[in-house]
Amino acid sequence: MTMITGRVWLFGDDLNTDVIHPPQFFSLDEEKVRAGLFHGLDPGIQPRLRPGDVLVGGHNFGCGSSRETSVRSLKLNGIGALIALDFARIFFRNCTNNGIPCLTLARARDLQALRPGQVVNVDPEQARMTTEEGEEIPLDPPGGFVQRIWQAGGLLALLPDSRPERGA
């Protein structure tokens, strides 16, 4: 996997999927889904996001509904990685299946070292984050299969092509 470089966006504990992407933005229209990211929390966040940005939260990141529209909105906005103390299990799986790296901090105290807008480099393979000031923050290393899914860009990319060959 390549290094992810982006600005830090800090959130607290229990960041709910309906806050990440409110129901009024559910749609098949990608632009509507993209525009809904964090709209219920602060409508000004989504327009300021840049590809590669890193969302950082506390405990229970992604709690709430298991709808994949929250993850779809993160993907459409080019979010580079999610870092938290821990993730809601279904949300973690949905992100992983869609190729969005979710990494946990190895030390809870390191959450205090981050500030909004700070540029960080996240290395999912080495399980570390480096701040623009050069501080290295260790992350818990994900399992090999999870890394393989992230490297492929999502679970579907790992599935064999089951279409019949032409002329067969």
Side-chain angles (χ1 to χ4, degrees):
M1 256 191 111
T2 60
M3 183 78 68
I4 298 159
T5 301
R7 298 170 303 153
V8 168
W9 293 82
L10 283 176
F11 300 91
D13 293 339
D14 303 312
L15 185 60
N16 190 291
T17 54
D18 285 337
V19 171
I20 294 170
H21 192 260
Q24 66 265 32
F25 289 92
F26 294 179
S27 177
L28 295 176
D29 176 2
E30 288 185 350
E31 185 53 36
K32 182 174 182 177
V33 173
R34 191 182 68 73
L37 189 61
F38 295 116
H39 193 272
L41 182 64
D42 176 354
I45 292 177
Q46 187 278 330
R48 297 191 324 261
L49 290 169
R50 289 188 229 148
D53 280 353
V54 177
L55 308 184
V56 179
H59 289 288
N60 207 22
F61 194 111
C63 62
S65 144
S66 62
R67 291 184 214 110
E68 287 195 34
T69 186
S70 300
V71 175
R72 185 170 174 236
S73 186
L74 293 169
K75 186 89 170 169
L76 289 171
N77 277 282
I79 298 303
L82 308 177
I83 310 290
L85 295 175
D86 55 62
F87 293 91
R89 189 74 203 135
I90 293 174
F91 180 79
F92 175 87
R93 201 69 229 177
N94 284 341
C95 285
T96 296
N97 289 346
N98 283 279
I100 301 173
C102 294
L103 295 138
T104 55
L105 292 162
R107 302 178 306 219
R109 72 176 185 261
D110 286 332
L111 189 57
Q112 306 308 313
L114 301 171
R115 58 180 167 54
Q118 180 180 37
V119 175
V120 294
N121 292 310
V122 177
D123 185 341
E125 285 183 29
Q126 298 300 314
R128 75 172 170 246
M129 176 170 40
T130 307
T131 67
E132 60 190 340
E133 296 82 17
E135 181 179 357
E136 284 198 13
I137 297 174
L139 305 169
D140 290 327
F145 185 61
V146 168
Q147 283 192 37
R148 201 167 137 223
I149 294 171
W150 293 344
Q151 288 170 349
L155 186 61
L156 291 178
L158 292 179
L159 296 177
D161 186 355
S162 61
R163 293 176 291 178
E165 291 184 38
R166 292 190 169 210

